Amino acid sequence: MKRHNILHIRIILFLTIINFCYSCKQKSPEQSDTTKIYWDTIKIAIDENYYGIYTMLSDVYKDKLYGYNHKLRTIDVFDLSNRKAIQNIPLEKEGPDGIPLVDGYSVCGNEIIINGRTQYIIIDTTGKVKKKIQKKDLNVENTYPGYTIENIKPLLINNFIKSYYNCNTQEIIAPVYPTDILNTETRYEGFCLLKINSNTNTTTLLPIPYP
């Protein structure tokens, strides 16, 4: 007998309304930068093939939720518009399609990039591996044209903060941090974003900090 549960998903929509001032005049008291937050809860029926609790390891692409099921080692896909579970993407642990560890992932189109401890793995929506990128092969330096981080050791990719993948440009946006993070003089320097070309493994440091 199949077990049917109800998956409760709270949808939070951030709607940011920004009022730009294009003249030299100061903003009037009626003008302000405001952020409105809306939320809703939907219910989706699930069976034993789905986990039911998706917290840290999840992603939303368009109207679909991709949640990591650590018990069955699948990425479970939910159609939020039609409120139904639609797919389990299997993640093999060994072999040519092996993914040893899942620290996070980002969905774009028909591709998913898995962030592992030592590598990025690009898979399709059936779980087949399309490409593996070894992080040790990426040349992450402190200086790039127009942007320099002074007086710190080489940067490392942060595995504890999510990386994002653009399937249209084949680029990964990853957070990086300095290896000498305990140095009180440079502790807050070097926490920025790195753009990685997944075709050439070349990197570009972006002057965009993150907390």
Side-chain angles (χ1 to χ4, degrees):
M1 179 181 295
K2 288 189 175 182
R3 174 178 58 87
H4 290 274
N5 292 328
I6 298 296
L7 172 66
H8 295 261
I9 302 175
R10 171 157 288 188
I11 308 298
I12 301 178
L13 173 64
F14 292 90
L15 176 62
T16 304
I17 304 173
I18 303 177
N19 296 315
F20 292 98
C21 180
Y22 292 101
S23 66
C24 297
K25 296 180 180 180
Q26 295 182 348
K27 289 184 178 179
S28 65
E30 292 78 16
Q31 289 180 308
S32 62
D33 295 339
T34 60
T35 300
K36 294 182 179 180
I37 302 175
Y38 301 90
W39 66 87
D40 195 3
T41 299
I42 65 175
K43 297 179 180 180
I44 299 176
I46 59 174
D47 58 26
E48 65 272 8
N49 294 317
Y50 295 86
Y51 182 43
I53 301 175
Y54 305 97
T55 52
M56 296 298 293
L57 295 183
S58 62
D59 195 25
V60 175
Y61 181 73
K62 293 187 176 179
D63 63 342
K64 294 180 176 60
L65 170 69
Y66 296 75
Y68 181 59
N69 185 335
H70 69 89
K71 289 189 174 181
L72 299 179
R73 218 168 190 276
T74 59
I75 294 178
D76 300 339
V77 188
F78 301 89
D79 185 331
L80 300 180
S81 296
N82 296 302
R83 304 191 179 194
K84 62 181 181 180
I86 58 174
Q87 185 184 4
N88 304 104
I89 302 174
L91 301 181
E92 301 291 338
K93 196 166 187 177
E94 299 176 344
D97 294 313
I99 301 172
L101 188 65
V102 179
D103 281 335
Y105 54 87
S106 175
V107 181
C108 182
N110 294 319
E111 294 181 320
I112 302 173
I113 186 164
I114 307 291
N115 184 13
R117 203 62 58 86
T118 62
Q119 60 187 338
Y120 286 110
I121 303 174
I122 300 175
I123 65 173
D124 62 20
T125 51
T126 67
K128 298 296 183 183
V129 171
K130 300 178 68 175
K131 185 171 185 179
K132 294 185 178 182
I133 302 170
Q134 301 299 324
K135 294 181 180 179
K136 64 180 179 60
D137 295 335
L138 298 173
N139 186 23
V140 185
E141 296 291 345
N142 296 7
T143 305
Y144 289 87
Y147 187 46
T148 303
I149 299 177
E150 302 287 353
N151 303 321
I152 61 174
K153 297 178 181 179
L155 304 173
L156 296 175
I157 294 175
N158 194 331
N159 291 322
F160 299 100
I161 297 181
K162 186 172 183 175
S163 295
Y164 290 88
Y165 180 59
N166 186 329
C167 54
N168 299 312
T169 62
Q170 303 285 295
E171 292 173 337
I172 306 164
I173 302 298
V176 293
Y177 67 97
T179 54
D180 56 347
I181 190 173
L182 297 180
N183 187 329
T184 56
E185 295 182 0
T186 60
R187 178 176 297 171
Y188 301 106
E189 296 181 32
F191 286 82
C192 57
L193 299 181
L194 184 76
K195 181 170 67 175
I196 304 168
N197 186 314
S198 64
N199 290 320
T200 62
N201 286 4
T202 55
T203 60
T204 303
L205 200 63
L206 302 176
I208 303 174
Y210 69 92

